[in-house]
Amino acid sequence: MTKFFSRDRDFYKRYILLTLTIAAQNVITQTVNLADSVMLGAYSETALSGVALVNQIQFLLQMLVIGAGEGIVVLAARSWGRGEIDPIRRISGVGMMIGMGMTTLLWGAVFFFPYGVLRLLTPETAVIEQGEIYLQIVCFTYFFFAVTQILLASMRSVETARIGLIVSVTALVINIFFNYVLIFGKLGFPALGVRGAAIATLISRVMETAIVAVYVFFIDRKVHLKVADFFHIDREVLRDFCRVSMPVIGSGAMWGVAQTAQTAILGHLGQSSIAANSVAATVFSLFSVVCYGSANATAVLVGKMVGEGKAPVIKPYIHSLQAMFCVIGVSSGTLLFFGKDLVLTFYSSLTAETYALSKAFLVVLAITLVGTSYQVACTTGIIRGGGDTKFVLILDTVFMWVIVIPLASLAAFVLHLDPIIVFICLKCDQILKCAVAFIRVNCCKYRWIKKIDRGTEIAGA
């Protein structure tokens, strides 16, 4: 047993600290989204549904930008493990260029064609109208979001995660305050509804970027990034980055489009399904923060270990990590199952149908969260952190477009089954992927450890 699991206490300490720091940041971020959802739910279910559609576009942006950020983490963590700082600066510059390029393209689509984009997601005119009002303002937050996430990824790659927590706390306070005064018209401000929610989000995003920029450029002592680093593109680093990050970005884009397709499927089942999916997704995001924090921490630590030349002795660490993924999954799923009723009490304006659907959706997510915690941390943490970025793209593409979307479409539009059955079809991949993830991590002679940059060659595990 001592050979099967690692006894490296420093490793466990760094894993737990990094996981909890990232999870705490995610808790605050998701609390901001929960506050938006609860306040808009109290204002109007139609407004909640409209903003839920726009948030699917935001999710696509998030997947694209986080893809660029994870490309930074995978490459920069190797350099961090070797004690090389200058490559991290060049990697960050390339990541920023790619992230902002994708952001500009998405912004152009939604700014010039807001109605057409939302019409793809639902035929409900009233919902589209509310969403369009929100989208016209919130699309300008995309640029600030991209800058913030790229800078935070650069810091995370060198095991600096606390700044993300500070930023998220600040955003929470600002967002809740301006949501309260602008949605409902308090403290002398007019009641702006969804427009007020969009303005509050814009203000909080601007403040996030300002705080992160001050920290990165004036306080950080590890990387010493300068503004000039983002205007100088190293061609060799660009080639390395594209080779590593394009599968990550492609996976994120595919996943974002797939989630939008899932929303469109539920959107064609009625406004209650849209609102219930929005509520369930927001609550799920809050309860899954440790799961995704674990995946992010794992990617950094595995990448650093490979960079340090520890690939030949990595096996016990990988076994230990998988055991912790399972513990996190069971714990998080149990908390979600027993906590769902309490959280739903905050959504006072939901109809009886929407409330019942939300509760049923959350039961499904509580079960699938166990699988999510294991397979996401294995694929985006261990496998991607080891340098095999193509595997996740292939895995997600096959499961989403060969199994999930066709199965859910059949259930919704051909068999006309209950929305709960359709929702189960949309989430079944979270359990099914576990077997594939286990085999890839443990039964393929650790071929997911790959040379991805111009540093020292690595040995096989």
Side-chain angles (χ1 to χ4, degrees):
M1 187 63 69
T2 56
K3 294 181 180 180
F4 192 81
F5 292 111
S6 171
R7 291 291 188 93
D8 186 344
R9 293 185 178 181
D10 181 63
F11 173 78
Y12 289 115
K13 180 180 178 181
R14 287 186 290 123
Y15 167 78
I16 293 171
L17 180 61
L18 196 54
T19 294
L20 292 181
T21 302
I22 296 173
Q25 175 191 341
N26 291 340
V27 165
I28 303 301
T29 300
Q30 297 307 327
T31 302
V32 171
N33 295 336
L34 181 63
D36 283 350
S37 182
V38 169
M39 290 186 184
L40 285 168
Y43 178 77
S44 163
E45 186 173 304
T46 303
L48 173 63
S49 298
V51 173
L53 293 184
V54 175
N55 285 342
Q56 285 304 308
I57 302 170
Q58 169 70 27
F59 181 78
L60 175 58
L61 171 71
Q62 180 178 328
M63 290 298 98
L64 292 171
V65 172
I66 288 178
E70 289 187 2
I72 293 174
V73 170
V74 171
L75 279 167
R78 294 277 180 100
S79 296
W80 178 238
R82 293 191 296 264
E84 300 170 354
I85 301 302
D86 185 62
I88 298 176
R89 301 189 190 103
R90 289 180 278 140
I91 291 166
S92 299
V94 170
M96 182 68 76
M97 179 194 71
I98 292 176
M100 290 301 289
M102 294 186 297
T103 299
T104 302
L105 290 175
L106 185 60
W107 173 84
V110 300
F111 180 76
F112 292 107
F113 310 103
Y115 182 87
V117 171
L118 294 174
R119 187 68 177 78
L120 295 173
L121 303 179
T122 183
E124 302 280 344
T125 304
V127 174
I128 292 174
E129 289 175 352
Q130 291 294 305
E132 191 172 7
I133 293 171
Y134 185 76
L135 184 57
Q136 288 174 341
I137 298 172
V138 85
C139 68
F140 289 100
T141 68
Y142 294 175
F143 298 103
F144 298 101
F145 173 82
V147 171
T148 298
Q149 293 304 312
I150 295 297
L151 292 178
L152 288 178
S154 300
M155 294 295 97
R156 193 165 64 248
S157 68
V158 296
E159 300 180 83
T160 299
R162 284 179 294 180
I163 179 59
L165 178 59
I166 295 171
V167 167
S168 296
V169 170
T170 304
L172 173 64
V173 174
I174 293 173
N175 192 267
I176 289 179
F177 172 76
F178 283 103
N179 266 339
Y180 176 71
V181 300
L182 295 178
I183 292 175
F184 302 105
K186 304 295 183 178
L187 303 180
F189 287 88
L192 300 177
V194 292
R195 185 175 283 107
I199 294 172
T201 300
L202 178 58
I203 294 172
S204 65
R205 292 297 189 207
V206 172
M207 292 303 299
E208 278 182 343
T209 303
I211 294 171
V212 173
V214 168
Y215 180 87
V216 168
F217 297 127
F218 299 103
I219 300 176
D220 172 62
R221 291 294 177 265
K222 290 182 179 179
V223 184
H224 300 284
L225 278 169
K226 305 296 181 185
V227 175
D229 293 326
F230 298 99
F231 293 94
H232 173 70
I233 304 302
D234 185 305
R235 292 184 180 180
E236 289 187 351
V237 172
L238 177 60
R239 283 194 292 268
D240 287 340
F241 192 93
C242 289
R243 187 178 68 254
V244 171
S245 70
M246 284 308 165
V248 181
I249 294 171
S251 178
M254 185 281 304
W255 188 251
V257 171
Q259 292 300 305
T260 303
Q262 292 189 21
T263 301
I265 291 172
L266 291 171
H268 284 77
L269 298 181
Q271 181 173 318
S272 292
S273 294
I274 300 174
N277 183 49
S278 172
V279 171
T282 302
V283 176
F284 172 80
S285 297
L286 188 61
F287 281 84
S288 62
V289 291
V290 179
C291 156
Y292 288 100
S294 171
N296 290 333
T298 298
V300 174
L301 295 178
V302 169
K304 183 183 179 184
M305 289 179 68
V306 174
E308 290 172 334
K310 294 181 178 179
V313 296
I314 203 172
K315 187 177 293 186
Y317 294 92
I318 299 305
H319 292 159
S320 299
L321 285 168
Q322 290 176 83
M324 289 187 283
F325 300 160
C326 293
V327 171
I328 289 170
V330 172
S331 302
S332 300
T334 301
L335 286 173
L336 175 56
F337 181 81
F338 289 105
K340 64 184 184 305
D341 294 311
L342 175 62
V343 177
L344 287 176
T345 59
F346 291 101
Y347 290 88
S348 57
S349 72
L350 298 181
T351 63
E353 180 184 5
T354 301
Y355 182 91
L357 277 178
S358 300
K359 189 172 182 178
F361 287 179
L362 286 172
V363 171
V364 174
L365 291 173
I367 296 170
T368 61
L369 180 52
V370 179
T372 300
S373 295
Y374 177 77
Q375 63 89 9
V376 166
C378 281
T379 55
T380 66
I382 294 175
I383 296 173
R384 187 179 283 170
D388 187 359
T389 58
K390 294 180 181 178
F391 177 79
V392 182
L393 174 60
I394 296 170
L395 181 70
D396 287 344
T397 300
V398 171
F399 270 91
M400 188 57 63
W401 297 106
V402 177
I403 298 175
V404 171
I405 297 299
L407 188 61
S409 298
L410 177 66
F413 304 128
V414 178
L415 301 178
H416 303 289
L417 298 179
D418 188 274
I420 297 172
I421 303 300
V422 175
F423 192 77
I424 291 174
C425 293
L426 291 171
K427 303 303 175 184
C428 67
D429 63 314
Q430 298 303 304
I431 300 296
L432 298 176
K433 286 179 182 176
C434 290
V436 181
F438 178 86
I439 292 171
R440 180 61 177 171
V441 170
N442 299 287
C443 306
C444 296
K445 298 181 179 179
Y446 288 67
R447 292 194 181 96
W448 43 266
I449 300 180
K450 298 181 179 295
K451 178 175 172 58
I452 56 175
D453 59 9
R454 299 171 196 283
T456 307
E457 283 285 357
I458 62 174

